[in-house]
Amino acid sequence: MSRISRNDPELAHRLSRRGMLGVAAGATAAALLGAAAGPASASAPAPSASTTGRGRPVLPPGRLGIQLYSLRDKVGTLGFAPVFAELEKYGYDEIEFAGYTQGSAGPITLARLKRLARDHGLTPIGSHVGYYSDDPGAYTFAQNLDQVLDDAQALGLKHIGTASGPFRYGSTVDAWKRAAQDFNAYGAAARARGMKFYQHNHSDEFAFAADDPKVRLYDVLLAETDPDLVYLEMDIYWAYAGQFRFSRRPDGTPAPFEPLDYVLAHPHRYPLFHVKDGVSDPSNEFGYRMTDVGDGDIDYQRFISAVTHLRGQRQSHHWQTEHDNPTDSFRFARRSSAYLHSLREKC
């Protein structure tokens, strides 16, 4: 057990709890890790967070970020500066924006925002902007692409993306092909500015096409977008919610999928991840109840290890913690960082 867990009884309890939980969603990752390590007994237990020893960190150094949407209450009242100061104390390396204003804390320029992040050792890594709106003057990719990219450049972002699903034209295969062409255009424009355009999923992306129940919409997005122009930010929690909701086609035919398999098949397309946790709850429509990272049933020791050690990909991905509606956003940020930093590989 790591030093941080020995000094934090609450965290030690969380690690111990995770060691006793079996998570079906982590089976693929465990199998892949076992295959990478060589032949092993089929009955050998997969490594758990509480038995990972004193090996190297599961989390790649310098790659822990947070989606600032999780801290919108604090940003909107205290402002970015106090929030960044807290994140620095919690050991965060990166931030992902969900808007560039700070509510009652007053106006702030992009230049000042960039300096504040730098002063607190935080690298702005990405930003969420809407895909489209019925308002022709809205700040979205569809209505205001140049301004969106200008602002991203001013902040020094390497990635600029949207958390909107590709539902602009509907839920048919052709509708998603049209949306994919929009995304290809945004990706080309972003690349011309030295950035990567990305899309962040929720669970509905894993539904089946309205006109073809054999086709999963997310597969259309992958197939129809140019892999050199359009990238993906897997929200791991919502992907597992999609697994729960859409494990069968509309006619009841089984159609299971493993979120991690998408990443392992296309690792270069997933530069960013949202690390969001949930307690398994089959009575919930999404299959999980969202919670702080480390308090739920998604096995991040396995997931992150499988991705970071795949084909030399260790330094290629960024991991952003997130909670859509935390009870105490600073507490969420602190505890989630502590948990992820505590995970060590078995040695």
Side-chain angles (χ1 to χ4, degrees):
M1 190 171 293
S2 66
R3 181 190 306 174
I4 193 168
S5 62
R6 290 198 305 269
N7 294 339
D8 186 340
E10 181 181 33
L11 179 58
H13 172 74
R14 296 162 75 200
L15 288 167
S16 177
R17 173 183 177 274
R18 293 298 292 270
M20 295 184 291
L21 289 170
V23 186
T28 298
L32 284 161
L33 289 172
S41 167
S43 61
S48 68
S50 62
T51 59
T52 51
R54 297 174 180 272
R56 59 185 173 182
V58 167
L59 192 74
R63 293 302 178 105
L64 178 62
I66 188 168
Q67 166 51 255
L68 292 174
Y69 181 77
S70 305
L71 296 160
R72 61 194 181 277
D73 61 325
K74 299 296 193 293
V75 171
T77 54
L78 303 176
F80 285 106
V83 169
F84 290 174
E86 289 297 308
L87 296 179
E88 182 180 17
K89 289 193 297 185
Y90 302 159
Y92 283 95
D93 310 297
E94 300 174 336
I95 49 174
E96 183 183 31
F97 289 105
Y100 312 130
T101 58
Q102 53 181 2
S104 61
I108 187 170
T109 66
L110 296 180
R112 172 63 175 157
L113 188 51
K114 183 180 180 181
R115 286 196 302 272
L116 278 175
R118 180 196 62 203
D119 291 346
H120 290 288
L122 300 169
T123 300
I125 194 64
S127 181
H128 284 185
V129 178
Y131 169 17
Y132 74 97
S133 169
D134 293 332
D135 177 1
Y139 186 80
T140 68
F141 281 95
Q143 281 90 349
N144 216 330
L145 178 60
D146 287 340
Q147 187 63 57
V148 168
L149 297 179
D150 286 346
D151 292 346
Q153 272 195 302
L155 288 165
L157 301 182
K158 296 179 181 179
H159 309 84
I160 179 69
T162 184
S164 302
F167 293 96
R168 180 179 185 181
Y169 308 108
S171 298
T172 64
V173 172
D174 283 343
W176 275 52
K177 287 183 177 181
R178 290 181 65 190
Q181 292 311 304
D182 286 348
F183 283 9
N184 285 335
Y186 307 152
R191 186 170 71 171
R193 307 280 197 106
M195 293 177 283
K196 292 180 178 180
F197 170 80
Y198 65 96
Q199 193 266 343
H200 163 287
N201 65 275
H202 291 87
S203 63
D204 287 337
E205 282 88 337
F206 297 96
F208 294 94
D211 60 337
D212 190 341
K214 295 182 180 180
V215 175
R216 198 179 297 278
L217 290 171
Y218 197 71
D219 295 337
V220 177
L221 180 66
L222 276 168
E224 297 296 328
T225 50
D226 186 328
D228 293 325
L229 298 177
V230 177
Y231 297 85
L232 299 157
E233 177 179 59
M234 179 173 280
D235 185 303
I236 299 167
Y237 170 91
W238 285 120
Y240 280 117
Q243 179 194 60
F244 175 83
R245 296 179 66 198
F246 304 112
S247 62
R248 292 182 178 274
R249 296 186 178 91
D251 65 359
T253 305
F257 74 93
E258 166 57 53
L260 180 59
D261 287 347
Y262 280 106
V263 182
L264 300 183
H266 308 279
H268 67 288
R269 297 203 71 179
Y270 291 89
L272 306 172
F273 292 89
H274 274 190
V275 181
K276 183 185 299 180
D277 214 343
V279 175
S280 180
D281 180 3
S283 69
N284 185 293
E285 64 174 312
F286 299 112
Y288 295 89
R289 289 179 285 105
M290 201 174 295
T291 188
D292 294 352
V293 179
D295 283 348
D297 296 336
I298 297 176
D299 194 330
Y300 278 111
Q301 193 278 335
R302 291 172 177 154
F303 195 105
I304 297 175
S305 292
V307 174
T308 57
H309 299 319
L310 178 70
R311 300 172 190 168
Q313 297 285 318
R314 187 170 180 83
Q315 297 298 326
S316 301
H317 303 93
H318 305 263
W319 306 86
Q320 321 294 310
T321 66
E322 188 185 35
H323 191 309
D324 290 355
N325 293 290
T327 302
D328 182 330
S329 56
F330 276 155
R331 181 174 181 267
F332 156 76
R334 174 179 55 79
R335 297 177 77 243
S336 298
S337 174
Y339 178 77
L340 291 170
H341 277 112
S342 75
L343 298 183
R344 312 289 293 187
E345 289 201 80
K346 198 171 184 179
C347 61

